[in-house]
Amino acid sequence: CCVADEAEKLAWKKTAVYFNSRSETEEFGRFLDRRRVDFVLYDGNLSDEERLRAFRRFNENESPIVIATRSFIPETLFTDVEKSIFAGVPFSVSHMHRCCASTSEIDVIYCPSDFERNERISRSLSDTVGDSEIYTVRSKNLSEIQRLIKE
């Protein structure tokens, strides 16, 4: 609700709302549909034609809100994103900065369970791959992002 409220109150500005995963992006899209909020969904699952169509809708201001995964980041070089919002917790400070590169400012809207979720994802990836260094590095990144967000 908080993310939707923030994006909706900026309806006159081109706003990018970033998520860590496609499933979160799609779930948020369904939530916005129920609220009758126009938006563009942009993620790595789209075909080239669908990405181009989504980008044009956003770029030409047919819809001022794009909800996206990090796959939208390269497109920000070619459009004017006026506001960036990250829903959840980015996996690293560099990830967060890439999401706000075109605006130099980002609002991160999260709850404490988002940190726990990112830690579980990192542990699972590390266990699956069999490389404990992955967990160590990602935990360090998560601590850095937690410190930065709270400041």
Side-chain angles (χ1 to χ4, degrees), residues 69-133:
T69 58
R70 65 179 177 219
S71 63
F72 185 70
I73 293 171
E75 303 300 341
T76 62
L77 297 172
F78 307 104
T79 192
D80 183 26
V81 175
E82 297 171 272
K83 178 71 175 179
S84 296
I85 300 170
F86 199 99
V89 177
F91 282 107
S92 68
V93 173
S94 63
H95 180 197
M96 183 180 73
H97 286 300
R98 285 190 306 271
C99 290
C100 69
S102 64
T103 60
S104 75
E105 181 182 319
I106 192 166
D107 287 340
V108 178
I109 301 175
Y110 67 95
C111 64
S113 65
D114 290 328
F115 287 102
E116 296 164 9
R117 180 180 166 276
N118 281 14
E119 186 170 343
R120 282 192 314 273
I121 291 169
S122 297
R123 181 164 306 284
S124 175
L125 176 62
S126 179
D127 291 347
T128 300
V129 173
D131 183 354
S132 62
E133 185 68 20

Side-chain angles (χ1 to χ4, degrees), residues 2-102:
C2 295
V3 174
D5 288 344
E6 187 66 22
E8 289 171 27
K9 76 180 184 183
L10 302 169
W12 64 93
K13 287 187 173 186
K14 285 179 150 179
T15 303
V17 182
Y18 292 99
F19 292 86
N20 279 325
S21 72
R22 290 181 194 130
S23 62
E24 291 171 318
T25 306
E26 291 166 358
E27 183 179 337
F28 188 67
R30 288 189 297 274
F31 180 74
L32 291 181
D33 277 339
R34 288 191 301 275
R35 290 169 69 122
R36 292 181 164 61
V37 174
D38 190 29
F39 65 92
V40 172
L41 185 133
Y42 194 104
D43 70 33
N45 263 353
L46 301 177
S47 67
D48 290 342
E49 183 179 308
E50 290 169 322
R51 277 196 297 268
L52 182 58
R53 191 170 36 250
F55 176 75
R56 282 187 181 149
R57 281 194 65 220
F58 179 72
N59 191 47
E60 294 170 6
N61 224 14
E62 287 179 40
S63 179
I65 298 172
V66 62
I67 60 174
T69 58
R70 65 179 177 219
S71 63
F72 185 70
I73 293 171
E75 303 300 341
T76 62
L77 297 172
F78 307 104
T79 192
D80 183 26
V81 175
E82 297 171 272
K83 178 71 175 179
S84 296
I85 300 170
F86 199 99
V89 177
F91 282 107
S92 68
V93 173
S94 63
H95 180 197
M96 183 180 73
H97 286 300
R98 285 190 306 271
C99 290
C100 69
S102 64

